[in-house]
Amino acid sequence: MRLFPFRDRRSRSRAAPQRGFSMLELSVSLVVIGLIVGAIAIGRDLQRNASYQRISSGFVQGWLMAYDAYAAGTGTVPGDSATAPTGLVNGNTTELCGTTMLNVFLAAGIRLPQGRAEGQADRYVYLDSNGNPQEMQVCFQNVAWAEPGAAVGVYVSRPRNAMVLKQMTPALASLLDAQIDGNPDARFGRMRENTQAAQTAVVDGVAWSVDERMAFGNAAPTTLDESQVAVVTGLVVMNR
């Protein structure tokens, strides 16, 4: 009696030959993978855009309304003297920021927008186009602001109170600019880049100084997906 079953060598020859994927199968697989990757990218973009819309409608608009509520309720602008008002934020040209700013609004009974956390209503955390975290901050300041002069094409600089929006990615800055004044450039309109707000010699619109290809701290495009995107500071002029 055989201890091991007899194998018919002829059965090996009758076995189905092994084969690889055909070009058609590989093409279909690549198409499916591409569709999946594209769907993920679209979903990520939609989620980021929704976050930017929340920043615009909830955070930025919330601070604009808080400023107007402060001015209407106290008769002065934030940080100005109640007994000898100057009409300037903080009574001078220094920024009103951080805990000092929050306490000024809270002391006037103004409800603050929802920010990053308790005690950090002036900050908002979001993701840039590469999925890296960014932290936006709101301050207020009296700044030099270019306005039309006595003739067409002539501009003069005047002191104006403005909301300072720090640490904005180019995509977020462009979205806010378009929604605030309908003119997404850095020179004209109610919202401007801080380096362009007082330019009296510039008569044409200009783009924001950074774009999504630039990495944090760089002025030239790097186009690296893993980099934290470069940020810019914007100013929004207030009504008073």
Side-chain angles (χ1 to χ4, degrees), residues 3-24:
L3 295 178
F4 301 98
F6 176 77
R7 292 185 178 180
D8 186 358
R9 294 181 179 178
R10 292 174 299 176
S11 63
R12 298 180 182 177
S13 63
R14 293 195 298 269
Q18 294 182 352
R19 63 184 182 89
F21 292 103
S22 67
M23 290 300 296
L24 177 61

Side-chain angles (χ1 to χ4, degrees), residues 51-151:
S51 174
Y52 288 178
Q53 290 292 342
R54 287 193 298 271
I55 294 174
S56 174
S57 60
F59 186 66
V60 175
Q61 291 296 329
W63 274 108
L64 289 173
M65 291 189 294
Y67 181 99
D68 290 340
Y70 184 100
T74 65
T76 61
V77 295
D80 199 7
S81 171
T83 57
T86 63
L88 308 178
V89 166
N90 224 21
N92 49 38
T93 57
T94 59
E95 283 185 333
L96 181 63
C97 272
T99 304
T100 301
M101 182 187 75
L102 298 180
N103 288 336
V104 165
F105 280 87
L106 291 174
I110 305 300
R111 183 176 180 180
L112 302 180
Q114 183 176 359
R116 176 173 183 172
E118 185 68 27
Q120 293 184 319
D122 60 325
R123 301 170 185 269
Y124 197 102
V125 175
Y126 64 100
L127 299 180
D128 61 27
S129 57
N130 288 337
N132 295 312
Q134 301 276 5
E135 184 182 66
M136 182 180 180
Q137 183 181 11
V138 165
C139 299
F140 290 96
Q141 185 179 8
N142 185 265
V143 299
W145 195 264
E147 296 181 351

Side-chain angles (χ1 to χ4, degrees), residues 138-213:
V138 165
C139 299
F140 290 96
Q141 185 179 8
N142 185 265
V143 299
W145 195 264
E147 296 181 351
V152 176
V154 176
Y155 295 91
V156 294
S157 179
R158 295 190 175 98
R160 292 289 182 261
N161 294 321
M163 178 168 65
V164 185
L165 300 175
K166 299 181 179 182
Q167 304 292 325
M168 293 185 298
T169 62
L172 178 57
S174 297
L175 182 144
L176 293 175
D177 195 5
Q179 293 190 347
I180 289 174
D181 59 30
N183 189 21
D185 71 65
R187 167 62 182 87
F188 293 101
R190 187 183 179 188
M191 179 174 175
R192 305 174 184 177
E193 188 171 352
N194 62 330
T195 56
Q196 295 292 333
Q199 293 287 348
T200 57
V202 180
V203 297
D204 297 318
V206 297
W208 290 80
S209 61
V210 297
D211 62 50
E212 294 291 312
R213 301 170 302 163

